[in-house]
Amino acid sequence: MTLSRRDFIQVAAAMGASLAWTGKARASSSSWREARGFYPQGVASGDPDAHSVILWTRRPFDDGERQLLTVEVAEDEGFRRVVAQARAPVSAESDWTTRVLVGGLKPRHVYWYRFTDADGNGSRIGRTITAPLDDDARPINFAFVSCQDVNEGTLNAFRRMIYEDERARPEDQLGFIHHLGDFIYEIVEYPEEQPTRYDRTIYEVARLPDGGVVGKFHFPLNVDGYRAVYKGYLADPDLQDARARWPFVAMWDNHEFSWQGWQSIQQAGGKSRPGQSIKVAANQAWWEYLPSRCKKVSGPSLDTFDPPAVTNVAIEKWDENGLGDEPNNLAAIHSLIGYRSYRYGKHLDLIITDQHSYRSPDPFSDDSLNKLGDWAAYNGWFPEDLQQVLDAGRAFNGGNPPAELAFGEGRIPNPQKDAPPQTILGATQKAWFKDQLRKSKATWKIWGNSEGALDERIDPQNLPAGMLPKPWPAGFVNASAGDYGSAWTERSEIYDLVRDAKITGFAIVSGDRHSFWAGYATSHLPPGKFEPVGVSFVGGSLSSAGAMEALEHRPRDKFPLRQLYLVDRPGSAKPDWTYNMTVKHGVRSSLEYAKSFDLERARALSNRELAPHLEFIDAGGHGYAKVRLDGEQMRTEFVCIPRPITRSASPDGGPLRYRVVHSAKLWDAGEPPKLTQQVLEGDVGLSI
Ligand SMILES: [Fe+2]
């Protein structure tokens, strides 16, 4: 749909002064001369549609409350064909950031932009790209990324992405970057307190003098604290280059607010506190630093966030969907609505959801569960069938949940017997999400879902006698960490809709797990019905440490079943990651591999019931994923880099570990999707 100039002005007038409309191209008449030091966080663009995009920079001033910059948008990098010029206000109130909506642009078009202050001090030049029209059937390309801890790592993955994109054919270049969150980690380490962690050097990011502390992690409690973290992260040169090259379509995960936080409750390292004002502060800083079309409660102005006033009070009442029924909580979580959908050409509807602001209380952490079994004797594992009872709450078994939970000799009252089923989306967002799925007309309906949706299972029932202090008295274990890998009830509701409404081309892209996964969206796994309705992917972290790195640092004397996770192959400097095999093929395969290092013999012992939903898992991979969509297939390429400890000295971002492509032909409704795999370079280890 084409927005007329008058429509655009009506929309943009409501957004305050920060809009620009294109006119006849003419050479730049500004006094711009590049002075990047005045723009320490670089430039960015966000949420393009076919005719408009939001441009961003930060230009701090020492005095005054408000200043005006000029923004220019051009069809060429030399700014000889400037098509739009407008005022861009910056103010202390928004931490000297600005957002300008530029309209009247051509679809699927590359533009360049730059900011200039009254003295001619100019930002670097940014590049952005508008979306294709809804009926544009040409293939589209985007990347999805997550988890960029620059306190503990470097962004060689972005360096690699830029290097390859600059050399790609125009039709293969990325149109946008979908950032699935952990853009920042609010828990900040100070190098002098903690010079290293795992393999990592701790780099200086920010100081939070009025924040909270848990162990050696400092976290913000107000907007200035969050702003300090964004500024620290955006000092990273590779992140700045990435933001200057592509528009970002971003969504937060947990760490943009709080490590273990949910709704407006702040929680880091176990101790929780009412955090209504902290959630609002987190939303404000996110809105200020990541240009997007997310709706804020104060209205559509792009100038300032205007946070609602809230008080930090404990939530004592929950509604029938687990939403904290407390006015300050509701005001805080509604201060910025992150969920939104994004049409991109004929082939993509990207439907983006928020996994943290509306989720119900954790159903798996009731204290009474500690009395059910001596979990330490079972390697901390918990049986999947009991977890499914807890997830479903009062809805289990058609509304007849068991009164008791039993495990071996243990018995406890079912702590979730009267609780609503677990929801990650919350009722309102879920209704919106399902509506988007039903309405979508694009070939591919991609769920931009920060949290992984593929089950992480283990089969301790197949361990030889004597490996655990006591024999395991149950079936499979689900080791997914509180995401859709163990949100069976809600997942089924969504997947059943996909099946029943005969939706085809359904795919999930996720982050959060700090690992690469490829497989199928299915409500259940054996002994339940395996019924894939879509494909599902998790991208590795850009830099944040993953499970395998942590496990490599676990002392051997405190690691009783180490072969199921790591094994030292003779002649190899680093251990092999048998955990990938444990999750994909089962414990028998890993134990065989640990003995013989014979991949074929190990795979021959694969437990076919364990993971029919998985085609690939690398629990230690870093990097990014590229997606290419057309009318016939979805091609998802995992680009994996070595552990990003130090910044690469070479322009390509350093070597690759591997590049693997997962392709799915568009399937007919009712048919199961099928992924085929091709390792294009490198060694994928035990991931397949
Ligand atoms: Fe993360």
Coordinates of all heavy atoms in Angstrom, one line a residue, residues 86-120:
A86 N 15.9 17.1 6.6 CA 15.0 17.5 7.6 C 15.7 17.8 8.9 O 16.9 17.5 9.1 CB 14.0 16.4 7.9
R87 N 15.0 18.5 9.8 CA 15.5 18.7 11.2 C 15.4 17.5 12.0 O 14.5 16.7 11.9 CB 14.7 19.8 11.8 CG 14.8 21.1 11.1 CD 15.9 22.0 11.5 NE 16.1 23.1 10.7 CZ 17.3 23.4 10.0 NH1 18.3 22.6 10.2 NH2 17.4 24.5 9.3
A88 N 16.5 17.2 12.8 CA 16.5 16.1 13.7 C 16.8 16.6 15.1 O 17.9 17.0 15.4 CB 17.5 15.1 13.3
P89 N 15.8 16.7 16.0 CA 16.0 17.3 17.3 C 16.7 16.3 18.2 O 16.4 15.1 18.2 CB 14.6 17.6 17.8 CG 13.7 16.7 17.1 CD 14.4 16.4 15.8
V90 N 17.7 16.8 19.0 CA 18.2 16.0 20.1 C 18.0 16.7 21.4 O 18.1 18.0 21.4 CB 19.7 15.7 19.8 CG1 19.9 14.7 18.7 CG2 20.6 16.9 19.7
S91 N 17.8 16.0 22.4 CA 17.6 16.7 23.7 C 18.1 15.9 24.8 O 18.3 14.6 24.7 CB 16.1 16.9 23.9 OG 15.4 15.7 24.0
A92 N 18.5 16.5 25.9 CA 18.9 15.9 27.1 C 17.9 14.9 27.6 O 18.2 13.8 28.1 CB 19.3 16.9 28.2
E93 N 16.6 15.2 27.4 CA 15.6 14.3 27.9 C 15.6 12.9 27.2 O 15.2 12.0 27.8 CB 14.2 15.0 27.5 CG 13.1 14.6 28.5 CD 11.8 15.2 28.1 OE1 11.8 16.4 27.5 OE2 10.7 14.6 28.3
S94 N 16.1 12.9 26.0 CA 16.2 11.5 25.4 C 17.7 11.1 25.2 O 18.0 10.4 24.3 CB 15.5 11.5 24.0 OG 16.1 12.5 23.2
D95 N 18.5 11.6 26.2 CA 19.9 11.3 26.2 C 20.6 11.6 24.9 O 21.5 11.0 24.5 CB 20.1 9.8 26.6 CG 21.4 9.5 27.2 OD1 22.0 10.5 27.8 OD2 21.9 8.4 27.2
W96 N 20.2 12.7 24.3 CA 20.7 13.2 23.0 C 20.6 12.3 21.9 O 21.4 12.3 20.9 CB 22.2 13.7 23.3 CG 22.3 14.7 24.4 CD1 22.8 14.5 25.6 CD2 21.9 16.1 24.3 NE1 22.7 15.6 26.4 CE2 22.2 16.6 25.6 CE3 21.4 16.9 23.3 CZ2 22.0 18.0 25.9 CZ3 21.1 18.2 23.6 CH2 21.4 18.7 24.9
T97 N 19.6 11.4 21.9 CA 19.4 10.5 20.7 C 18.3 11.2 19.9 O 17.5 12.0 20.4 CB 18.9 9.1 21.2 OG1 17.7 9.3 21.9 CG2 20.0 8.4 22.0
T98 N 18.2 10.8 18.6 CA 17.2 11.3 17.7 C 16.7 10.2 16.8 O 17.4 9.3 16.5 CB 17.6 12.5 16.9 OG1 16.5 13.0 16.2 CG2 18.7 12.1 15.9
R99 N 15.4 10.2 16.5 CA 14.8 9.3 15.5 C 14.0 10.1 14.5 O 13.2 11.0 14.9 CB 13.8 8.4 16.3 CG 14.4 7.3 17.2 CD 13.6 7.1 18.4 NE 13.6 8.3 19.2 CZ 14.6 8.6 20.0 NH1 15.6 7.8 20.2 NH2 14.6 9.8 20.7
V100 N 14.3 9.9 13.2 CA 13.6 10.6 12.2 C 12.9 9.6 11.2 O 13.6 8.7 10.8 CB 14.6 11.5 11.3 CG1 13.9 12.2 10.3 CG2 15.4 12.4 12.2
L101 N 11.6 9.8 11.0 CA 10.9 9.0 10.1 C 11.0 9.6 8.7 O 10.6 10.7 8.5 CB 9.5 8.8 10.5 CG 8.6 8.0 9.6 CD1 9.0 6.5 9.6 CD2 7.1 8.2 10.0
V102 N 11.6 8.9 7.7 CA 11.7 9.4 6.4 C 10.7 8.6 5.5 O 10.7 7.4 5.5 CB 13.1 9.1 5.8 CG1 13.3 9.8 4.5 CG2 14.2 9.6 6.8
G103 N 9.9 9.4 4.8 CA 8.9 8.8 3.9 C 9.0 9.1 2.5 O 9.9 9.9 2.1
G104 N 8.2 8.5 1.6 CA 8.3 8.8 0.2 C 9.4 8.1 -0.5 O 9.8 8.5 -1.6
L105 N 10.0 7.1 0.1 CA 11.1 6.4 -0.5 C 10.6 5.3 -1.4 O 9.5 4.9 -1.4 CB 12.0 5.8 0.7 CG 12.5 6.7 1.7 CD1 13.1 5.9 2.9 CD2 13.5 7.7 1.1
K106 N 11.6 5.0 -2.3 CA 11.2 3.9 -3.3 C 11.4 2.5 -2.6 O 12.2 2.4 -1.7 CB 12.2 3.9 -4.4 CG 12.2 5.2 -5.3 CD 13.3 5.2 -6.3 CE 13.4 6.5 -7.0 NZ 14.7 6.7 -7.7
P107 N 10.5 1.6 -3.0 CA 10.6 0.2 -2.4 C 11.9 -0.5 -2.8 O 12.5 -0.2 -3.8 CB 9.4 -0.5 -2.9 CG 8.9 0.3 -4.1 CD 9.4 1.7 -3.9
R108 N 12.3 -1.4 -1.9 CA 13.5 -2.2 -2.1 C 14.7 -1.4 -2.7 O 15.2 -1.7 -3.8 CB 13.1 -3.3 -3.1 CG 14.1 -4.5 -3.0 CD 13.7 -5.6 -4.0 NE 14.5 -6.7 -3.8 CZ 14.1 -7.9 -3.5 NH1 12.9 -8.2 -3.5 NH2 15.0 -8.9 -3.3
H109 N 15.0 -0.4 -2.0 CA 16.0 0.6 -2.5 C 17.0 0.9 -1.5 O 16.7 1.0 -0.3 CB 15.3 1.9 -2.9 CG 16.0 2.7 -4.0 ND1 16.0 2.3 -5.3 CD2 16.7 3.8 -3.8 CE1 16.7 3.2 -5.9 NE2 17.1 4.1 -5.1
V110 N 18.3 1.0 -1.9 CA 19.4 1.4 -1.0 C 19.5 2.9 -0.9 O 19.5 3.6 -1.9 CB 20.7 0.8 -1.4 CG1 21.9 1.2 -0.6 CG2 20.6 -0.8 -1.4
Y111 N 19.5 3.4 0.3 CA 19.7 4.9 0.5 C 20.9 5.1 1.5 O 21.3 4.2 2.3 CB 18.5 5.5 1.2 CG 17.3 5.6 0.2 CD1 16.4 4.6 0.2 CD2 17.2 6.7 -0.6 CE1 15.3 4.7 -0.7 CE2 16.1 6.8 -1.5 CZ 15.2 5.8 -1.6 OH 14.1 5.8 -2.4
W112 N 21.5 6.3 1.4 CA 22.5 6.7 2.3 C 22.0 7.9 3.1 O 21.2 8.7 2.6 CB 23.8 7.0 1.6 CG 24.6 5.8 1.2 CD1 25.6 5.2 1.9 CD2 24.4 5.0 0.0 NE1 26.1 4.1 1.2 CE2 25.3 3.9 0.1 CE3 23.5 5.1 -1.1 CZ2 25.4 2.9 -0.9 CZ3 23.6 4.1 -2.0 CH2 24.6 3.0 -1.9
Y113 N 22.5 8.0 4.4 CA 22.0 9.1 5.2 C 23.2 9.6 6.1 O 24.1 8.8 6.4 CB 20.8 8.7 6.1 CG 21.1 7.5 7.0 CD1 21.4 7.8 8.3 CD2 21.0 6.2 6.6 CE1 21.7 6.7 9.2 CE2 21.2 5.2 7.4 CZ 21.6 5.4 8.7 OH 21.9 4.4 9.6
R114 N 23.0 10.8 6.6 CA 24.1 11.4 7.5 C 23.4 12.5 8.2 O 22.5 13.2 7.8 CB 25.3 11.8 6.7 CG 25.0 12.9 5.7 CD 26.3 13.2 4.9 NE 26.1 14.4 4.0 CZ 26.9 14.7 3.0 NH1 27.9 14.0 2.7 NH2 26.7 15.8 2.3
F115 N 24.0 12.8 9.4 CA 23.5 13.9 10.3 C 24.6 15.0 10.3 O 25.8 14.7 10.3 CB 23.2 13.4 11.7 CG 22.1 12.4 11.7 CD1 22.3 11.0 11.5 CD2 20.8 12.8 12.0 CE1 21.3 10.1 11.6 CE2 19.7 11.9 12.1 CZ 20.0 10.5 11.8
T116 N 24.2 16.2 10.5 CA 25.1 17.3 10.6 C 24.6 18.3 11.7 O 23.4 18.6 11.8 CB 25.2 18.1 9.3 OG1 25.4 17.2 8.2 CG2 26.4 19.1 9.3
D117 N 25.5 18.8 12.6 CA 25.1 19.8 13.5 C 25.3 21.2 13.0 O 25.7 21.4 11.8 CB 25.8 19.6 14.9 CG 27.3 20.0 14.9 OD1 27.7 20.6 13.9 OD2 28.0 19.6 15.8
A118 N 24.9 22.2 13.8 CA 24.9 23.6 13.3 C 26.3 24.1 12.9 O 26.5 25.0 12.1 CB 24.3 24.5 14.3
D119 N 27.3 23.4 13.4 CA 28.7 23.8 13.1 C 29.3 23.0 12.0 O 30.5 23.1 11.7 CB 29.6 23.7 14.4 CG 29.1 24.6 15.5 OD1 28.7 25.7 15.2 OD2 29.2 24.2 16.7
G120 N 28.5 22.1 11.4 CA 29.0 21.3 10.3 C 29.7 20.0 10.7 O 30.2 19.3 9.9

